[in-house]
Amino acid sequence: SFCPVPNLVFTRDQWVTTKRGIVIASLHSMRRQHETKVIRFVCQKLGLTVAGEIPPPALMEGGDFFMSGNLAMLSVGLRSNSLAADYLMANDLLGTEKFAIVKDCFDQDQQRMHLDTIFNIVGPGVCTLLETTMGPTAPLRRLVNEYVRAEDGSYSLARHDVEFSQYLRDNGFKIIPLSHQNQLDYGCNGLNLGGEHGVVLAVDEMTAKKIARSPDFQGQIRVLDFRNMTNMYGSLHCCSQVVRRRPSACTPRVAPVVPVCDEEAV
């Protein structure tokens, strides 16, 4: 029977790329199950090695996953679950020193279903974050459990229930807060093309101005007309994916900043 894959254009979700390589995801919606088969075929045709695959009932969508040097982050909530986080650690599919599980306990709204709808890395040690998620009493706050990798490759819990913006600051990030309206206009869902003075693509002019005016942002930002995709409830980050990571030589600016200079080859 014919099984359409209209959401295949949102290529962030079907896979992630860790330090170990490509990991095929496990999508939440039954209507999207065939998308991972397409991505697996694409990897085969392009000669891209697949390091692993998330098996159901574990769920992971790439919009919930971020890499920043030796830190990997996965949000668990509406679309990804803790079983996927456990599987990544148990099967050594991360390769990072730290793994942050960002828990969406208080929100779980479709408007903010993935981590990349409220958060993004826009430069070395610089990120954007939805302001209504920031602070220990924020109504939409996220909480982080941090796992640290031992020499034998196993991960153990080091910190738990750390408020997300505080966790980011603890890891050396400078935060550019974005408003609720910025978030609605897909301001959090830009695309960082990498490099210390790299280019960030955005779809919302007001968000782009806010990022460009921040003294912490040292890159370039360009605004694209992406209405055909935002009308489908996705944006630049949703419609892209990393297939290789090459470490940059940039140096963290504030100890213990996690290097966030991994360039994206899309």
Side-chain angles (χ1 to χ4, degrees):
S1 61
F2 177 63
C3 298
V5 284
N7 290 309
L8 184 62
V9 68
F10 300 125
T11 50
R12 183 66 54 167
D13 290 334
Q14 303 94 352
W15 48 348
V16 303
T17 301
T18 73
K19 280 197 165 187
R20 295 291 187 239
I22 292 169
V23 179
I24 302 295
S26 173
L27 301 179
H28 181 273
S29 171
M30 288 298 297
R31 290 176 295 180
R32 300 192 69 183
Q33 296 303 309
H34 291 288
E35 295 177 35
T36 55
K37 298 176 183 177
V38 175
I39 293 299
R40 201 179 302 115
F41 174 77
V42 168
C43 289
Q44 180 182 355
K45 296 297 287 186
L46 294 178
L48 300 173
T49 301
V50 174
E53 185 167 351
I54 303 297
L59 299 173
M60 182 181 73
E61 299 192 355
D64 280 324
F65 184 83
F66 278 85
M67 282 281 295
S68 175
N70 264 314
L71 170 65
M73 291 181 268
L74 178 69
S75 178
V76 298
L78 273 183
R79 296 303 182 104
S80 303
N81 62 23
S82 59
L83 293 176
D86 292 342
Y87 188 86
L88 288 169
M89 290 188 286
N91 291 275
D92 195 21
L93 291 174
L94 295 164
T96 54
E97 294 177 6
K98 293 190 286 187
F99 182 39
I101 299 177
V102 185
K103 300 182 293 182
D104 176 8
C105 304
F106 306 102
D107 187 14
Q108 301 214 358
D109 189 287
Q110 182 72 13
Q111 184 67 42
R112 296 168 294 277
M113 62 181 180
H114 288 144
L115 186 57
D116 69 0
T117 64
I118 66 160
F119 165 79
N120 205 351
I121 297 171
V122 295
V126 185
C127 66
T128 56
L129 184 61
L130 176 61
E131 61 187 4
T132 52
T133 68
M134 297 172 60
T137 61
L140 307 182
R141 66 191 180 277
R142 271 62 169 165
L143 302 178
V144 176
N145 287 359
E146 180 188 74
Y147 290 79
V148 175
R149 189 172 185 266
E151 290 185 4
D152 64 0
S154 64
Y155 284 84
S156 59
L157 182 65
R159 306 169 68 190
H160 67 90
D161 293 334
V162 183
E163 190 270 319
F164 187 37
S165 67
Q166 183 60 55
Y167 181 80
L168 292 170
R169 292 189 181 99
D170 290 347
N171 280 275
F173 281 97
K174 303 292 186 180
I175 300 174
I176 302 173
L178 297 184
S179 68
H180 176 64
Q181 188 60 52
N182 294 149
Q183 192 272 337
L184 289 177
D185 294 332
Y186 298 94
C188 297
N189 204 258
L191 181 62
N192 178 7
L193 297 181
E196 186 174 6
H197 300 289
V199 175
V200 173
L201 305 180
V203 299
D204 177 52
E205 185 175 351
M206 296 306 296
T207 301
K209 288 180 178 179
K210 186 175 292 187
I211 294 171
R213 290 168 180 165
S214 170
D216 297 313
F217 179 70
Q218 303 298 316
Q220 306 171 51
I221 191 159
R222 300 174 185 174
V223 179
L224 303 181
D225 183 349
F226 213 56
R227 283 174 291 180
N228 287 340
M229 296 312 305
T230 57
N231 287 341
M232 294 176 63
Y233 306 105
S235 191
L236 290 159
H237 197 264
C238 299
C239 297
S240 60
Q241 186 51 280
V242 181
V243 296
R244 295 186 181 92
R245 296 187 183 275
R246 57 176 186 266
S248 167
C250 75
T251 303
R253 289 179 289 174
V254 182
V257 176
V258 177
V260 290
C261 314
D262 289 3
E263 297 190 9
E264 299 197 352
V266 179

